[in-house]
Amino acid sequence: MVGSSHEALHRIFQKDPALLTRALQQVLHVPFPEPREIAALNVDLTEIEPVERRVDTLLRAETDDGTYLLVVESQGKIDERKRGSWPYYLSYLYEKYRCEPVLIVITQNTATARWAARPIHLGFPGWDSLTVRPLVLGPDNVPVITDERQAERDVPLAVLSAMTHGRGPKAAPILESLATALKTIDPDSAAVFVQFVDSCLADPQAKQMWRDLMTAIQYFWRHPLAEQVREEGREQGLEEGRIAAQRDMILRALECRAVPVPDDVRDRVNACGNLDQLDTWFQRAVQATKAADLFVEE
């Protein structure tokens, strides 16, 4: 299971390398040539045993215009040491592979994105010996995908959207559209994407909403992210545990959408012991604009 947003942000490109070239072309508008083949390479750049250097993700893209090395760095915060490490990575990789290296930095933070995008100039002022211009994917340029059909057309890009914007005010519609789109791809790939998104959601409400949404997808109950829910179910009795969890999911879904929940609505949800009825209410809760929408047909 992915342990942090740092890992998820770059490993998504290992899961779907073609997403990286689409991001370069469509998000950053870089005329990167269409690869015939993309392969993952060893990320270890260690030269001398005591000094270990590793990039986050390293891909080799074979194109009609030549071979490129795509160096992906996940950056959580500003770190001035990287302005020395990144030029080293590129120089070392060029010397080792004799291919043109391209540095792509991905971050969830706007300030970090602006810092990372600054060119790195090494040498005498006005006569640079080496200049590095990172390409940056972040909240300011990764598209906000809230439309289900758009998410279904490019699920990996929708995943990247959720990972990048998951802590912002548009998290709820992004997660809802992605949850629907995940049903259209194979369960194994969907399960990996579920973990990536879960690891990147720093906002507790957004993370809980995502986990609540995922309980509606059958394969999720076989996935490690559901272990905590299953344990709670075992402790209380499977049926009782699922009913309690579903009640909580309904109320959390409304809260995540900033929908006020009157006491009479909360009491009615907490008093219901019918799992099918609760499932119906949950499906309405993720689209509700007011709490009364739960009971619209009743």
Side-chain angles (χ1 to χ4, degrees):
M1 179 175 176
V2 178
S4 69
S5 61
H6 176 277
E7 289 298 304
L9 281 170
H10 71 86
R11 283 182 55 187
I12 186 175
F13 299 115
Q14 297 177 17
K15 170 63 180 172
D16 188 338
L19 172 63
L20 186 55
T21 57
R22 293 202 301 279
L24 291 175
Q25 296 165 353
Q26 300 172 20
V27 178
L28 298 178
H29 305 292
V30 174
F32 190 83
E34 196 66 35
R36 297 189 305 272
E37 179 183 353
I38 300 181
L41 302 179
N42 190 333
V43 297
D44 193 344
L45 307 185
T46 304
E47 284 188 285
I48 304 173
E49 188 172 350
V51 182
E52 181 176 319
R53 298 180 186 270
R54 293 178 183 271
V55 297
D56 289 331
T57 286
L58 180 60
L59 304 171
R60 182 178 59 214
E62 302 285 352
T63 78
D64 291 337
D65 295 340
T67 301
Y68 294 89
L69 298 177
L70 304 178
V71 185
V72 184
E73 284 282 283
S74 175
Q75 196 66 28
K77 60 183 180 180
I78 295 173
D79 182 356
E80 289 298 332
R81 293 175 300 175
K82 290 292 187 179
R83 302 186 73 79
S85 299
W86 288 340
Y88 169 84
Y89 294 166
L90 301 183
S91 298
Y92 175 83
L93 289 168
Y94 179 77
E95 177 64 22
K96 181 176 181 178
Y97 293 102
R98 291 294 169 175
C99 299
E100 298 294 340
V102 180
L103 174 62
I104 301 102
V105 180
I106 180 166
T107 181
Q108 296 173 291
N109 183 275
T110 298
T112 303
R114 291 172 182 165
W115 164 82
R118 286 166 35 205
I120 302 170
H121 301 286
L122 301 179
F124 187 77
W127 193 272
D128 302 333
S129 298
L130 176 64
T131 301
V132 175
R133 300 180 184 274
L135 296 168
V136 181
L137 294 167
D140 292 338
N141 54 21
V142 172
V144 175
I145 298 179
T146 58
D147 180 75
E148 292 178 4
R149 284 177 291 184
Q150 185 182 359
E152 290 173 3
R153 285 195 297 269
D154 194 338
V155 174
L157 186 59
V159 173
L160 184 63
S161 176
M163 292 163 61
T164 307
H165 300 284
R167 62 178 66 184
K170 297 183 179 180
I174 293 173
L175 297 177
E176 289 165 6
S177 64
L178 176 58
T180 300
L182 286 174
K183 300 176 186 178
T184 66
I185 65 175
D186 70 276
D188 290 339
S189 293
V192 174
F193 289 145
V194 166
Q195 290 187 78
F196 286 162
V197 173
D198 188 85
S199 297
C200 288
L201 294 176
D203 184 285
Q205 284 191 322
K207 183 182 285 285
Q208 187 58 53
M209 181 183 181
W210 177 243
R211 293 186 175 186
D212 293 345
L213 285 168
M214 290 300 95
T215 60
I217 302 178
Q218 185 176 3
Y219 72 78
F220 179 72
W221 289 98
R222 304 194 301 272
H223 199 269
L225 281 179
E227 186 61 33
Q228 182 179 354
V229 177
R230 290 200 296 267
E231 287 298 329
E232 293 174 358
R234 294 188 189 104
E235 292 174 4
Q236 301 179 42
L238 183 59
E239 188 70 13
E240 180 183 350
R242 291 188 66 188
I243 288 173
Q246 195 75 332
R247 291 169 180 161
D248 187 57
M249 285 161 46
I250 293 168
L251 298 175
R252 285 180 182 272
L254 292 173
E255 290 169 0
C256 285
R257 295 176 59 80
V259 175
V261 182
D263 288 343
D264 60 329
V265 172
R266 189 179 302 274
D267 292 342
R268 184 171 176 181
V269 170
N270 287 330
C272 181
N274 185 305
L275 192 57
D276 290 338
Q277 181 65 74
L278 291 170
D279 286 342
T280 299
W281 288 349
F282 174 71
Q283 294 298 326
R284 296 173 185 168
V286 297
Q287 300 182 7
T289 57
K290 56 184 183 298
D293 290 346
L294 297 182
F295 321 122
V296 66
E297 296 178 5
E298 302 164 29

